[in-house]
Amino acid sequence: MKKIVIAIDGYSACGKSTTAREVASILGYRYIDSGAMYRAVTLFFLDKHISLTNPKEIERTLEQIHLAFHVNAHGTTELFMNGINVEKSIRKMRVSENVSPVSTLKEVRHAMVAQQRKLGKDKGIVMDGRDIGTVVFPQAELKLFLTADIQVRAFRRQQELLEKDKLVDFHTIIANLTDRDRIDSNRKESPLIKASDAIEMNTTHITIDEQVDEVVRLAVGKIVRRS
Ligand code: DC
């Protein structure tokens, strides 16, 4: 059976990652969280106190970062940076608060997009992010653009953090999501916009299971048509 590329873009905390992971698992596809890559770069820049205004230093630093996704014993994909599992550290508020400015950098985007394209060259991949359907895989067979009410998104993000034993104030989360939406949507390099051929899904009133079922239904339609 022919394999396809599924691109899931949208605002922060709309359920993109959860949906993408589940859909990939059902279809037996690879799941790639492109946001995790930008988060890892941000973590590295923060730890090494890299200036965001020096392109040469940014380029030199990017050469020192090696990113790789590995599937753990539970079947979950985790990101390793220079051989270290960074899944936990990249989800901290310190990274969330700095990731959007780092993601605006042309050098960072070019390096990440090149790696993402390599990961998808054999298809059979579900990738979520902000520019997957517009820049990384403009030829993706299935493109989704997820949106949801800001209160619902903040509540879901708060629950996610609570599951990791982190209590973050609701207003801090709203402020972070709003700020990231604004920076992600207005940056010069590959801003967050809906691809003209993407299917928009408002997830405010639907459950993750319903979201997953719908994406799988659409994907199977595309796969059958291609086979
Ligand atoms: O998906 P996420 O919330 O973990 O992503 C974190 C940040 O990374 C997001 O605010 C913007 C950036 N990002 C991006 O610029 N392009 C992508 N394809 C994915 C994420």
Side-chain angles (χ1 to χ4, degrees):
M1 199 163 285
K2 289 260 169 60
K3 291 190 167 174
I4 64 167
V5 171
I6 304 174
I8 305 185
D9 288 303
Y11 298 99
S12 306
C14 284
K16 296 188 302 291
S17 303
T18 316
T19 307
R21 192 181 304 115
E22 288 286 312
V23 170
S25 155
I26 291 168
L27 297 175
Y29 277 22
R30 221 173 153 202
Y31 162 58
I32 299 293
D33 173 359
S34 71
M37 299 170 74
Y38 289 95
R39 285 174 178 271
V41 170
T42 305
L43 176 66
F44 196 90
F45 278 30
L46 284 171
D47 287 350
K48 303 270 186 241
H49 306 285
I50 304 300
S51 152
L52 301 189
T53 54
N54 183 342
K56 282 272 163 285
E57 190 185 12
I58 291 167
E59 271 174 11
R60 270 199 304 274
T61 308
L62 285 166
E63 283 166 15
Q64 298 165 30
I65 304 177
H66 177 259
L67 299 177
F69 287 95
H70 295 298
V71 179
N72 69 17
H74 307 288
T76 308
T77 306
E78 294 178 323
L79 181 61
F80 284 68
M81 177 162 63
N82 297 337
I84 295 167
N85 186 332
V86 289
E87 270 306 317
K88 279 211 177 98
S89 33
I90 60 172
R91 311 287 165 196
K92 298 209 164 124
M93 276 314 271
R94 167 177 173 253
V95 172
S96 297
E97 281 164 1
N98 288 281
V99 64
S100 281
V102 171
S103 307
T104 62
L105 302 171
K106 176 170 100 232
E107 298 78 10
V108 171
R109 301 213 70 79
H110 288 182
M112 294 305 108
V113 169
Q115 292 189 33
Q116 289 153 7
R117 286 189 179 144
K118 268 193 207 155
L119 289 166
K121 73 176 183 348
D122 296 328
K123 301 204 174 199
I125 192 169
V126 185
M127 194 178 286
D128 78 304
R130 305 292 187 290
D131 60 342
I132 310 306
T134 49
V135 175
V136 182
F137 299 121
Q139 313 299 335
E141 288 83 357
L142 178 60
K143 299 180 187 178
L144 282 311
F145 190 86
L146 269 46
T147 64
D149 182 273
I150 184 78
Q151 303 279 334
V152 170
R153 290 161 56 201
F155 178 74
R156 288 178 186 161
R157 183 48 52 90
Q158 193 179 43
Q159 294 302 308
E160 238 173 69
L161 289 164
L162 271 178
E163 278 163 25
K164 291 173 192 151
D165 296 328
K166 286 188 200 79
L167 175 62
V168 183
D169 168 73
F170 192 69
H171 297 289
T172 305
I173 297 178
I174 294 238
N176 175 252
L177 295 181
T178 312
D179 220 37
R180 284 205 282 143
D181 285 354
R182 182 181 49 77
I183 303 174
D184 295 347
S185 307
N186 292 299
R187 67 183 174 220
K188 215 165 114 219
E189 283 284 322
S190 48
L192 166 63
I193 43 164
K194 178 181 162 300
S196 55
D197 51 350
I199 299 166
E200 185 164 335
M201 276 176 80
N202 184 324
T203 72
T204 307
H205 301 295
I206 57 174
T207 63
I208 284 289
D209 285 350
E210 288 167 330
Q211 245 165 269
V212 171
D213 285 351
E214 178 60 6
V215 180
V216 169
R217 190 186 67 75
L218 293 165
V220 169
K222 298 277 181 189
I223 294 166
V224 168
R225 222 167 301 152
R226 269 182 60 87
S227 301

